[in-house]
């Protein structure tokens, strides 16, 4: 049970005060939460403040019911700079010693000593021969670096761009445009396409429009919701808030060479004339609320860990592979612990965690948030990669931290959001190494436990990875270099694969000549798209052309690498089928935009119509209210309807008497339940002695109001009916026009598809739909340059796996052969009894012609040999 003793010597004697014993939250980190007041006499002369006595702090361990009380550590508090009236006074709420992040993480104070041109790191001066030293060569650019890097960078950015250096280029880097800007730009480009000729000098070409549209769509702002309004720091928050709201005093034990650091005393030390001044001073300077400090409360701590970067390699590399680590997170505050060992990441030094870890603690209390990145080992104990510590008390009781991001706090139901604290990039350290062991991107929220239920956790989880099917169709090849020089042919086939997938090959086009080949072959690859998946990091499609040889190894003719990065991102983002090489139809997109615009105008027209109807109804209600108010005015002026008036009193008297009659004041009572018109009723209820002119005036006003209301209603009804009829006619014509255009376009597309299919079957078709010609390259080892040796027509589709399973397509040309349909390839080797045709197919026209010439020569020689005797006989007979 530790306790702390404070002693202060003065001319009036020694004032001693002790705290109560405490081991809460633990014996090694006890909290006392007491206010100790030491009354003494101090010099009032500012010049004599240097003679103020120090406060002696001793920490005792209370053992065996107090019979043994060894000293755990001692410290001295210098009061010469704590007298508010002294010249050297330093306000502890405005200034303080900069926090050592490494010491907070490892508990080791490192001192930097320069000697003989080299820099030495030493744990402490009293460690003697056990001191840990690391030699470091002095940096040749250290004298050139400014002390304040941040201000120096800002000054560089404010200078004009001269074309040299990186700071000028940074001025031209723009943030991605938001979604609204992208959509507006897309609409403006499409409207420009409809304005006139696409190829005119003053307008962009269709290709340029498509390129700009894709650039704007790909550059859409993807800022996560949890990062909106949140500052991103390049280092720890302690670099921004270098001083602590508390004062820390090192506790020492031992003397001389055996003296060593054993702990830290954290507290507040103030010198005041009266005890009442303390609270006033703290509140005035925006310091700590003493009532909150002395009464611990339960708090919820949410640690959001995004990723770890450049982690140290804990596993040894083998067989030429670099070493890696198997990191996972381990977090604790006092007795509340979190261990994510079961979710370790294999073989990684850059890890995406994206986890929210919620822990609970009492502040003041267990205020050290320890974050450890561990290395999982299958055999033996796990290793510590690095550690960082966040002092929660320093943050919660610091008004500067409390104000951070408070402008983004939203308490409204359904839109609740806690204050946005900065995203930090914290360094990881260990006790045994002086170098940084990696970085950890995270931010910390601290909130009272009763408020934590109102504010949900930030959703920082990465969107789940999704499976897609990449369908690659190899259609045909052209301009291929012949590897069989004698025959001027190739036994051509293609192999292809997406990074991380197995290779697939087409069938072989035997004896392909004239550099052409026909395949119509479908390949299918399953890829996983998501944050940092293999396909996202290496989004490449490899295509290779080969010449098949039966007696030796096959020859690689050429290859090509196709970057599918943008298409992968677009497919993952929209979760829909992407035809990589499908040409965008600007006209159809414009039609859809116009249709959406027409729908928006129609919606606005309906809303305007509703508003007009509501205004007409309001006008009618207003007129009705005017009529009612005028009737009331008439009743009041004529004395009818008032309390105690003859009308009301006689009506009451008539309940039990006659239902109809004339009373003394000349007022006619109408029988209850008898219907009457307004005019008749008004006339009947007029008193006999009322002035006739006033009655006529009121009757005229009522009649005029009724006529105006009736006229307005008739006018509005006829105008509204005519307008509604015109709108209905326009809408019917517009719908009929759209239907007619769509039917004509559908017939045109169907005819084009039919003609294309027929041409493809006959082998004279145009380029396949949604395809492109990819250049095949190979390296010329004599010149060292890449040269083009052919082209291949391919089409690529990226389809969500669930959609691909619902609409399957077979490998190659197998069933189901659809989307697209792949006909049998043209120009392949065919068996025939015609020796000339078969020879041409097998050996090529050139070699076949040579063979034919040789055969003709042999036949001529043999013919000459056999017919020579007969020729001699014929010659002799002729003589």
């Amino acid at each position: 049970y530790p306790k702390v003793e404070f002693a202060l010597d003065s001319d009036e004697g020694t004032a001693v005060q002790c705290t109560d014993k405490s081991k809460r939250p633990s014996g090694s980190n006890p909290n006392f939460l007491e206010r100790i007041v030491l009354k003494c006499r101090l010099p009032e002369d500012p010049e004599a403040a240097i003679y103020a006595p120090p406060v002696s702090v001793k920490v005792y361990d209370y053992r065996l019911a107090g019979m043994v009380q060894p000293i755990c550590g001692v410290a001295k508090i210098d009061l010469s700079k704590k007298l508010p009236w002294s010249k050297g006074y330093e306000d502890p709420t405005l200034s303080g010693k900069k926090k050592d992040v490494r010491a907070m993480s490892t508990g080791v104070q490192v001192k930097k000593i320069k000697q003989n041109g080299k820099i030495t790191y030493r744990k402490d001066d009293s460690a003697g021969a056990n001191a840990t030293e690391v030699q470091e060569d002095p940096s040749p650019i250290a004298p050139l670096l400014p002390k304040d890097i941040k201000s120096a960078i800002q000054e560089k950015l404010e200078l004009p761009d001269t074309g040299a250096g990186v700071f000028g280029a940074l001025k031209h880097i723009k943030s991605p445009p938001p979604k609204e800007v992208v959509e507006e730009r897309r609409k403006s480009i499409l409207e420009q396409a409809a304005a006139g000729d696409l190829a005119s000098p003053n307008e962009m070409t269709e290709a340029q429009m498509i390129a700009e549209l894709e650039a704007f769509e790909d550059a859409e702002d993807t800022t996560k919701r949890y990062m909106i309004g949140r500052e991103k720091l390049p280092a720890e928050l302690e670099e921004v808030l270098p001083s602590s709201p508390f004062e820390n005093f090192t506790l020492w034990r031992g003397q001389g060479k055996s003296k060593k650091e054993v702990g830290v005393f954290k507290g507040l030390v103030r010198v005041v004339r009266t005890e009442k001044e303390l609270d006033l001073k703290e509140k005035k300077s925006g310091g700590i609320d003493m009532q909150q400090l002395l009464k611990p409360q339960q708090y919820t701590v949410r640690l959001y860990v995004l990723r770890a970067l450049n982690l140290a390699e804990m596993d040894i590399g083998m067989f030429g592979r670099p070493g890696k680590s198997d990191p996972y997170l381990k977090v604790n505050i006092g007795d509340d612990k979190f261990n994510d060992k079961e979710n370790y990441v294999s073989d990684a030094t850059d890890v995406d965690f994206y986890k929210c870890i919620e822990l609970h603690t009492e502040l003041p209390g267990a205020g050290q948030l320890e974050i450890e990145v561990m290395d999982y080992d299958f055999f033996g104990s796990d290793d510590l990669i690095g550690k960082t510590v966040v002092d929660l008390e320093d943050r919660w009781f610091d008004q500067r931290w409390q104000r951070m991001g408070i402008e983004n706090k939203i308490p409204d139901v359904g839109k609740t959001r806690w204050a946005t604290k900065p995203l930090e990039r914290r360094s990881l350290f260990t006790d045994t190494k002086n170098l940084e062991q990696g970085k950890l991107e995270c931010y910390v929220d601290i909130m009272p436990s009763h408020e934590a239920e109102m504010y949900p956790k930030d959703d920082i989880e990465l969107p789940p990875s999704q499976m897609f099917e990449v369908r690659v169709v190899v259609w045909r090849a052209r301009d291929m270099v012949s590897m069989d020089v004698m025959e001027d042919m190739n036994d051509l086939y293609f192999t292809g694969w997406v990074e991380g997938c197995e290779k697939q090959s087409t069938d072989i086009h035997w004896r392909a000549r004239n550099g052409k080949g026909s395949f119509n072959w479908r390949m299918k690859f399953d890829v996983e798209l998501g944050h940092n998946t293999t396909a996202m990091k290496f989004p490449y499609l490899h295509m290779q052309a080969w010449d098949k040889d039966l007696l030796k190894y096959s020859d690689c003719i050429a290859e090509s690498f196709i970057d599918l990065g943008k298409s992968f991102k677009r497919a993952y983002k929209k979760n829909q089928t992407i035809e990589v090489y499908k040409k965008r139809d600007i006209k159809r997109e414009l039609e859809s935009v116009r249709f959406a615009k027409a729908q928006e105008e129609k919606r606005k027209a309906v809303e305007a119509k509703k508003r007009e109807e509501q205004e007409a109804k309001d006008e009618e209600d207003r007129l009705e209210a005017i009529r009612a108010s005028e009737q009331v005015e008439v009743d009041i002026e004529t004395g009818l309807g008032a309390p105690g008036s003859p009308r009301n009193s006689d009506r009451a008297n008539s309940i039990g008497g006659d239902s109809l009659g004339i009373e003394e004041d000349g007022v006619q009572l109408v029988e209850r339940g008898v219907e009457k018109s307004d005019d008749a009723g008004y006339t009947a209820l007029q008193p006999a002695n009322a002035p006739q002119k006033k009655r006529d005036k009121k009757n005229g006003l009522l009649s005029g109001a009724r006529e105006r209301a009736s006229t307005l209603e008739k006018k509005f009804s006829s105008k509204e009916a005519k307008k509604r009829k015109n709108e209905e006619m326009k809408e019917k014509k517009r719908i009929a026009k759209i239907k007619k255009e769509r039917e004509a376009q559908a017939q045109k597309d169907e005819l084009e598809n039919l003609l294309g299919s027929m041409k493809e079957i006959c082998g004279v078709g145009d380029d396949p739909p949604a395809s492109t010609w990819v250049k095949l390259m190979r390296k010329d080892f004599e010149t060292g340059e890449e040269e083009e040796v052919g082209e291949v027509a391919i089409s690529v589709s990226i389809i969500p796996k669930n959609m691909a399973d619902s609409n399957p397509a077979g490998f190659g040309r197998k069933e189901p052969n659809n989307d697209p349909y792949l006909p049998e390839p043209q120009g392949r080797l065919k068996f025939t009894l015609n020796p000339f045709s078969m020879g041409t197919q097998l050996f090529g026209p050139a070699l076949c012609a040579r063979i034919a010439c040789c055969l003709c020569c042999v036949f001529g020689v043999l013919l000459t040999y056999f017919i020579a005797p007969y020729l001699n006989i014929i010659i002799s007979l002729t003589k």
Side-chain angles (χ1 to χ4, degrees), residues 175-221:
S175 301
K179 186 176 181 180
E180 296 78 9
V181 176
V182 174
E183 187 62 26
E184 288 298 325
R185 180 56 182 161
R186 174 175 175 269
K187 290 182 180 180
S188 66
I189 294 175
L190 293 175
E191 291 294 342
Q192 182 180 347
D197 186 10
L198 289 176
S200 62
N202 297 329
E203 303 291 343
M204 290 191 297
T205 63
E206 187 172 359
Q208 291 174 338
M209 289 185 178
I210 292 174
E212 185 169 353
L213 282 172
E214 291 179 350
F216 266 86
E217 292 170 355
D218 293 337
E220 182 180 334
D221 187 11

Side-chain angles (χ1 to χ4, degrees), residues 461-477:
E461 292 187 1
L462 295 171
S465 300
Q466 300 180 26
M467 294 301 299
F468 285 78
E469 185 175 277
V470 179
R471 296 179 181 177
V472 181
V473 178
V474 181
W475 296 96
R476 58 176 74 101

Side-chain angles (χ1 to χ4, degrees), residues 226-232 417 419-423 443 458:
Y226 63 87
M227 286 301 297
I228 297 176
R230 190 182 304 278
E231 185 179 1
K232 189 173 182 179
R417 189 186 188 194
T420 53
K421 303 304 178 185
L423 176 66
Y443 64 93
D458 290 345

Side-chain angles (χ1 to χ4, degrees), residues 439-495:
K439 294 281 190 181
L440 193 69
E441 282 191 357
C442 61
Y443 64 93
V444 181
D445 283 343
I446 310 171
M447 59 189 72
S449 295
H450 66 275
E451 292 189 32
E453 300 176 356
M454 301 169 50
Y455 294 91
K457 300 177 183 178
D458 290 345
D459 184 11
I460 66 169
E461 292 187 1
L462 295 171
S465 300
Q466 300 180 26
M467 294 301 299
F468 285 78
E469 185 175 277
V470 179
R471 296 179 181 177
V472 181
V473 178
V474 181
W475 296 96
R476 58 176 74 101
R478 66 185 181 188
D479 302 331
M480 300 299 300
V481 174
S482 299
M483 302 301 291
D484 298 335
V485 181
M486 184 176 294
E487 300 94 335
D488 193 19
M489 287 183 168
N490 285 318
D491 296 322
L492 187 63
Y493 72 96
F494 281 85
T495 62

Side-chain angles (χ1 to χ4, degrees), residues 535-542 560-569 580-581 798:
M536 281 295 200
K537 291 191 290 186
F538 307 101
Y540 303 115
L541 170 64
H542 301 258
S560 180
F561 299 94
I562 304 165
D563 188 356
L564 299 178
K566 291 184 179 179
S567 301
F568 278 169
K569 291 178 181 178
V580 178
Y581 298 115
I798 307 169

